[in-house]
Amino acid sequence: MKRYFLAALVALLWAPLANAQSDQSNQPAAKPESSTQEAAQKTIQVQVNLVNVLATVTDKKDRMILDLTQDDFRLFEDKRPQTIKFFSREADLPLRIGVLIDTSNSVRERLHFEQEAAVDFLNEALRPGQDQAFVVGFDVEPQVVQDYTDDTDKLSAAVRGLAAGGTTALYDAIYYACKQKMLVPQPTEPYLRRVLIVVSDGRDNQSEHSREEALSMAQHSEAIIFAISTNNSVTNTAGSRTPNCYSAGDKTLLRLAEQTGGRVFFPFEASDLASNFQEIARELRSQYSIGYVSSNQAKDGTFRTIQIETATKGLRVRARAGYYAPGPANAAK
């Protein structure tokens, strides 16, 4: 009798415990708190819109200003103030350089000087193991004569092998170089400085793409355009270029450069090309890198303007005019 009583008592006590264990086994296991936090952090990192801007600062005499700090800058996106999160002097960031040389009939007389100046520039500016460059010659259509490499001998041979002839497809050359060689699908670490050096008279009589399409592709790829005008038909009496003396081709080069944060050089003589290339190389070693998280986190693919100012009056900041926000609408076509 005691045996049956004990068995019944054990059964009564065990039943609630067994049911509780069964209920717990049917519930999903709780995720560790640290894993949940890491996942949340990763989600935030993907959603944040980090914008990198390279800037050059000069005084009224066009001399580089190299001693500014983060507190010296004010940055606006679509006229709204933004908080600068990252700031540094970025002379050491890797470079990706595209050298685009106009080989149409209109530049035949100066081509040799252009080639030698470009070769000297590549030998001076390119750091083997860190920087890379490619060379495109263009007349009727763009042609890559040397793909990305840090071998200056190969680049020099490609530049010197260019021959003049044909009409000019400047916009197609810029569009092609930016889309095929400089467009980066995902942000890189470290940030790649992408630079296009265009040697041309700025005239175009052959392109399928328009000037604004070429500019838009350059902005999508975050390429800075430096241009050296080979148009020497319009100068003032002092032998220099003023706004009243700009040709239609010069104005094209100016728009492409100013909107992407670069500049245009107007050599009076072919021999001045070398100093122009040297000035570009110097500027590439004198840039500030400014990073901010946009207060507008919409993924709408729209173009957003960027304005950078300094606390010191009289200084000029040269940087790209804006960028395309992420989103399906900004996919390059």
Side-chain angles (χ1 to χ4, degrees), residues 29-298:
K31 293 182 178 180
E33 183 178 351
S34 59
S35 298
T36 303
Q37 291 175 346
E38 290 176 3
Q41 290 174 353
K42 289 181 180 179
T43 301
I44 292 173
Q45 290 173 358
V46 170
Q47 292 176 349
V48 161
N49 181 17
L50 177 63
V51 183
N52 289 293
V53 187
L54 296 170
T56 301
V57 183
T58 57
D59 62 14
K60 293 180 179 179
K61 296 184 179 180
D62 210 29
R63 295 175 298 195
M64 303 282 184
I65 305 300
L66 307 176
D67 58 353
L68 299 180
T69 67
Q70 178 173 329
D71 293 336
D72 292 315
F73 289 89
R74 306 289 183 271
L75 191 147
F76 303 85
E77 178 181 298
D78 288 340
K79 299 183 179 180
R80 298 183 181 90
Q82 305 292 315
T83 301
I84 297 174
K85 298 289 188 181
F86 307 99
F87 177 86
S88 61
R89 280 278 313 280
E90 291 299 358
D92 293 330
L93 277 179
L95 283 166
R96 296 296 179 265
I97 302 173
V99 179
L100 277 61
I101 299 181
D102 186 343
T103 58
S104 63
N105 278 321
S106 60
V107 298
R108 181 183 295 274
E109 294 180 0
R110 309 183 88 183
L111 181 59
H112 174 70
F113 292 97
E114 295 170 12
Q115 290 169 312
E116 293 309 308
V119 167
D120 290 342
F121 164 78
L122 289 168
N123 284 319
E124 178 183 353
L126 217 62
R127 296 164 297 182
Q130 184 170 2
D131 304 326
Q132 292 186 5
F134 65 92
V135 179
V136 171
F138 66 94
D139 42 45
V140 178
E141 61 182 8
Q143 180 182 6
V144 178
V145 292
Q146 176 58 57
D147 210 340
Y148 273 123
T149 182
D150 62 357
D151 188 328
T152 53
D153 290 336
K154 290 182 178 179
L155 291 165
S156 299
V159 170
R160 291 187 172 119
L162 295 171
T167 52
T168 312
L170 170 63
Y171 306 148
D172 283 354
I174 293 173
Y175 187 96
Y176 169 83
C178 290
K179 183 176 182 180
Q180 299 298 328
K181 299 298 178 183
M182 295 201 158
L183 195 62
V184 179
Q186 299 294 332
T188 60
E189 182 62 39
Y191 182 74
L192 291 177
R193 291 184 292 166
R194 282 150 278 178
V195 178
L196 273 189
I197 299 175
V198 180
V199 184
S200 173
D201 58 12
R203 302 171 190 172
D204 190 300
N205 51 23
Q206 188 68 32
S207 287
E208 296 181 2
H209 295 95
S210 68
R211 181 188 70 179
E212 294 308 300
E213 287 174 330
L215 173 58
S216 177
M217 187 55 66
Q219 291 168 328
H220 272 103
S221 67
E222 301 183 12
I224 302 174
I225 296 178
F226 289 90
I228 298 178
S229 174
T230 60
N231 174 32
N232 61 351
S233 61
V234 183
T235 56
N236 62 15
T237 54
S240 60
R241 201 72 53 92
T242 64
N244 292 333
C245 298
Y246 290 147
S247 68
D250 291 337
K251 292 177 180 178
T252 290
L253 297 176
L254 281 165
R255 174 159 178 78
L256 293 169
E258 290 174 353
Q259 291 297 304
T260 59
R263 61 186 293 198
V264 183
F265 297 86
F266 300 100
F268 180 57
E269 297 179 350
S271 57
D272 295 332
L273 286 165
S275 61
N276 295 154
F277 272 107
Q278 290 171 4
E279 185 67 15
I280 295 172
R282 189 168 74 91
E283 181 161 335
L284 293 177
R285 294 192 293 266
S286 308
Q287 293 176 311
Y288 295 95
S289 178
I290 302 173
Y292 70 98
V293 176
S294 174
S295 60
N296 182 358
Q297 288 295 304

Side-chain angles (χ1 to χ4, degrees), residues 294-328:
S294 174
S295 60
N296 182 358
Q297 288 295 304
K299 311 296 186 194
D300 54 12
T302 59
F303 185 79
R304 300 173 185 174
T305 61
I306 296 174
Q307 181 181 359
I308 302 177
E309 301 174 351
T310 64
T312 304
K313 293 183 178 180
L315 299 183
R316 180 191 175 194
V317 180
R318 187 163 56 248
R320 56 181 169 138
Y323 74 102
Y324 282 93

